[in-house]
Amino acid sequence: MPPFSAIEQVISQDPGNRGVGPLILPGQVLDAAQSLLQSQFVVIPTGFYVLTAGAFETDGPPGAWALEHALSALGIATQLLTDPDFVHVLSLQAAGPIAAYREGWSPEPVPSHFVSIERCGRAADSRYYNLRGLDITPFTAPLDDLFLNAQAAGIETIGIGDGGNEIGMGRVLPLVKTSIPNGEQIACVVPTDKLIVSGVSNWGAWGLVAAMSVLAKRNLLPSRADEITRIQCLVENGVVDGKTGCNEPTVDGLTADVYLQVLDDLHRIVNWELSR
Ligand code: CA
């Protein structure tokens, strides 16, 4: 199997039975990786608020860190972006600068790319909803404004998500409405130029880094130890599992074994390609 198809297959496993299969657009991982290898300055929003826990979740930040570290290793400038209340935690494992979004904020200089990772985007009624259909608008800075204005500014956009309510899902809006529970209500209407849908958003980010690794002929993925350290750091700082709401080292309700198997599989694909 070609490496990019293998990468897509690995990251699209859906152990949480989210029903994201119909939302997957084949070829997007390769397209996004090719585009990012031409980038100059990449702004990476992440951070998803869990209402029942009053805290942010473990899916998103590790993916953002993985992408940020990979781009930095290639000499490409990055900036992480999140809600003011989450900047401190997101900075703990960051490779580069980070910003807090407040209405009207815009990056300097103008970036070449925005890459959203597990970031809630507005629904048709301009509110922000979690998968259960609960309104998290007061806890979600409207940084999807940046994506709505990106095309006019000549900025390429990439979205990574696993539920239907994340920035980028506007690209497959009719499918979210019909395939995802509460889809009509929660579907994000903000599209991105490229859209990576995966079983877990961190996996989508790793898949993107894996594809960049194959193209750049250099393994840019985080190690298993890196990833365990990052999750542990999040949990020690109050971050919770987005599915269970518990302050424990799991992602989307998955045990470390299931969660990290995807990283192992991506390493195997990349290392096989680089050894040929
Ligand atoms: Ca998720």
Side-chain angles (χ1 to χ4, degrees):
M1 185 186 288
F4 304 105
S5 307
I7 290 168
E8 281 187 338
Q9 196 173 71
V10 166
I11 67 171
S12 63
Q13 297 169 74
D14 186 12
N17 293 314
R18 292 264 175 94
V20 293
L23 312 182
I24 294 171
L25 303 170
Q28 291 290 290
V29 175
L30 174 56
D31 285 355
Q34 284 173 327
S35 177
L36 277 181
L37 287 180
Q38 306 297 319
S39 65
Q40 292 88 43
F41 175 36
V42 184
V43 173
I44 306 169
T46 193
F48 208 116
Y49 190 81
V50 181
L51 198 57
T52 50
F56 285 83
E57 69 158 284
T58 50
D59 195 17
W65 285 328
L67 180 62
E68 180 209 23
H69 279 78
L71 290 165
S72 297
L74 295 170
I76 296 166
T78 63
Q79 183 171 47
L80 297 177
L81 181 64
T82 193
D83 303 88
D85 289 350
F86 196 49
V87 166
H88 170 66
V89 174
L90 194 59
S91 71
L92 295 174
Q93 298 282 326
I98 176 164
Y101 185 83
R102 290 184 175 82
E103 224 158 334
W105 179 91
S106 61
E108 280 286 334
V110 175
S112 57
H113 290 70
F114 287 130
V115 186
S116 168
I117 302 176
E118 183 77 354
R119 178 71 199 185
C120 194
R122 70 194 61 185
D125 63 357
S126 293
R127 308 295 292 180
Y128 299 80
Y129 295 103
N130 67 16
L131 287 182
R132 294 179 201 176
L134 300 174
D135 191 330
I136 57 169
T137 308
F139 311 99
T140 307
L143 60 79
D144 51 353
D145 271 340
L146 296 170
F147 286 73
L148 291 169
N149 297 322
Q151 196 171 27
I155 302 167
E156 175 100 9
T157 56
I158 298 169
I160 299 176
D162 62 8
N165 54 352
E166 301 94 351
I167 292 173
M169 293 290 183
R171 175 99 188 261
V172 290
L173 187 59
L175 294 171
V176 174
K177 288 182 176 176
T178 52
S179 328
I180 300 290
N182 305 318
E184 283 279 352
Q185 180 198 359
I186 70 165
C188 170
V189 297
V190 181
T192 43
D193 299 318
K194 315 273 193 288
L195 175 65
I196 298 174
V197 179
S198 50
V200 173
S201 292
N202 290 338
W203 294 354
W206 295 343
L208 179 55
V209 172
M212 288 164 56
S213 300
V214 171
L215 294 171
K217 303 193 187 316
R218 177 176 169 191
N219 190 338
L220 300 161
L221 284 165
S223 69
R224 196 175 233 269
D226 289 338
E227 185 60 23
I228 290 169
T229 301
R230 290 171 186 173
I231 297 284
Q232 200 59 45
C233 171
L234 289 171
V235 171
E236 283 167 7
N237 286 280
V239 175
V240 300
D241 183 298
K243 186 165 183 186
T244 66
C246 296
N247 178 232
E248 57 192 14
T250 57
V251 179
D252 286 355
L254 303 177
T255 62
D257 276 357
V258 175
Y259 174 68
L260 292 171
Q261 181 64 49
V262 167
L263 184 58
D264 294 344
D265 290 347
L266 292 172
H267 271 289
R268 202 170 55 244
I269 293 166
V270 169
N271 290 334
W272 165 252
E273 278 302 308
L274 298 187
S275 70
R276 294 202 307 151

